[in-house]
Amino acid sequence: MADTVKRLDSPRVALLALASAWVHSTLAPWCLKAGLAAHARAAHTAAVIEGTVNETPEAVLARVLEQRPDVLGVSCHIWNIAFVEALLPLVRRALPGCVVVLGGPEVSPRPGDALAALPEADFVIVGEGEVAFAMLVDALCGMGSIGDVPGLVHRGMDSPRVPPAGGGLAVSPYTPEYAARLGGRIAYVETSRGCPFACAFCLSGGEGTRFLPLEEAYARILAAAAMGAHTLKFVDRTFNANPARAKEILRFILSRLGKDIPPHTVFHFEIAADLLDEEAIHIVRESPAGLFRFEAGLQSLDEGVLRAAQRRTDTAKALRNLEALIGTGKAHVHADLIAGLPGEGLEDFARGFDRAYLLRPHALQLGFLKLLHGSAMRNDPARFPCEFDPRPPYEVRRTPAMGEGDFAELKRTALALDKLHNSGRFPRTLVFLTGEAGVRPYDLFAGIAKEMVAHPRGAAMPLDALTGLLLDHSVAFVPGEAARLRDLMLLDRLCGVRTSVVPECIKRPDARMHAVKRAMDRRFPRGEGIARSYGILCAGEERAVCVDYDAPDPVTGQYAANIVPLRELAGLHP
């Protein structure tokens, strides 16, 4: 292979990152660029090209051609590999002499197959790329042998001759150029690589976890915070894999908030809930509301299912810790479940769904198992039998415990969950139904989902139509509580969405409304330029409500309501 690649002189290198949406600023190309600066000996220039899978391949090609690269590195992921397959033939036709190098989790576990499927590519780098990519550029310039590049695979090889090198984590991507290109998008922070777990459905575990020294981690947090992003998302696979270290980082962020860290910055972490302790929860309790966001991958609440998937979780402890974390009222908490894990049937999953939902996380993601290249579940079909889509994202369609009809029901239920709960639009109504009214959470969302998909506009149904659907469905569960449900939904709509008009299904014309508005304005003077909405609650004692759209709650996104019994308001006339 070395003999077939033309030797390069001061090559132009381009690093292409294709995100799933513009808001995501992919970190990988900036890490590779920093790796070139730190490790490459050959003279070169390097540029980062960004795009999204929502563009056309031709639009991204035009951006590549502006750089006229001699070497093109492409970061391949489950969400962009189909786009890469469409783009590379265009690149090869336009730049026949360009050396195309692939890397990333979509090609790294299967380099030979990836090169066969993508004939326009010349190399795949397995594992970390910061050192290996720099060595490859040197080798292409005659400074070293291609055969000595760690983790490098070319056509005709099945695996790299030399094990992949570590050391990539030591290179910081936070350059002034990256800061200038961020443009207010989510900024990513990496302070560790790997994961202490070895879940059969994941690629991150199996090799332990490597951590940046705390002082270097602090420096990168401050560098990322100074770039103007509202949200800093840690890409550490299990942020609290080392619980003591995680608490030190949380304390550091608190100590620098309002100084080196802008006061309204939000930090997002993926955590193992059972590794939390009271000290960590106390840190969150003492933090400003909305500063921290936590995503906890429960995946399943069935211990047998978790063991079958090679996941170690103390589910009882995880649930206790999540309940305490949510109970602080200070952090937005997101919990994840995965449908399709080994041995888990529909009813088993529904029971776990109920338990997770009744914790009242701010978001509950109902995800679906994907058989990733390199995962144990994909590599060992005899042990983990299932049918899955051969195209990305390789989603499971059937398992011995769950049929296609079950997955279809869960897909619908996930849609209803997103529209009603995860959107944050109906918190009072849903808490009442699944709490005091005793409606089973899974039955509620699965039932509403059937009606949603029957609507002419399906998932795109307008919010007012969704409100009416929820009201009708809820009254069927608790027919004697129609007035209370109407009041709860009115509060949800006024507090969750900036509006001056409520939907017809919960509107009750009242001749007193103009007098109520005047009385509430006297009772609660509002700031200049702040929009306000009003309503009358009718269940039980009549009450007036007004909501100012100034500053939503930083955790829930809800606006505060002022509620006063009508008998306390002077000047009302029928």
Side-chain angles (χ1 to χ4, degrees), residues 302-338:
D302 186 309
E303 295 276 1
V305 169
L306 291 174
R307 284 194 297 272
Q310 300 175 187
R311 182 175 180 87
R312 303 193 313 272
T313 302
D314 183 335
T315 57
K317 185 177 181 183
L319 291 174
R320 288 196 304 272
N321 286 340
L322 280 181
E323 185 174 28
L325 190 62
I326 295 164
T328 67
K330 294 298 187 67
H332 187 281
V333 179
H334 174 132
D336 293 338
L337 295 172
I338 297 178

Side-chain angles (χ1 to χ4, degrees), residues 162-191:
V162 182
L169 185 60
V171 180
S172 173
Y174 300 114
T175 62
E177 182 187 2
Y178 175 45
R181 293 273 289 276
L182 190 61
R185 293 175 291 168
I186 296 171
Y188 291 90
V189 179
E190 183 182 39
T191 72

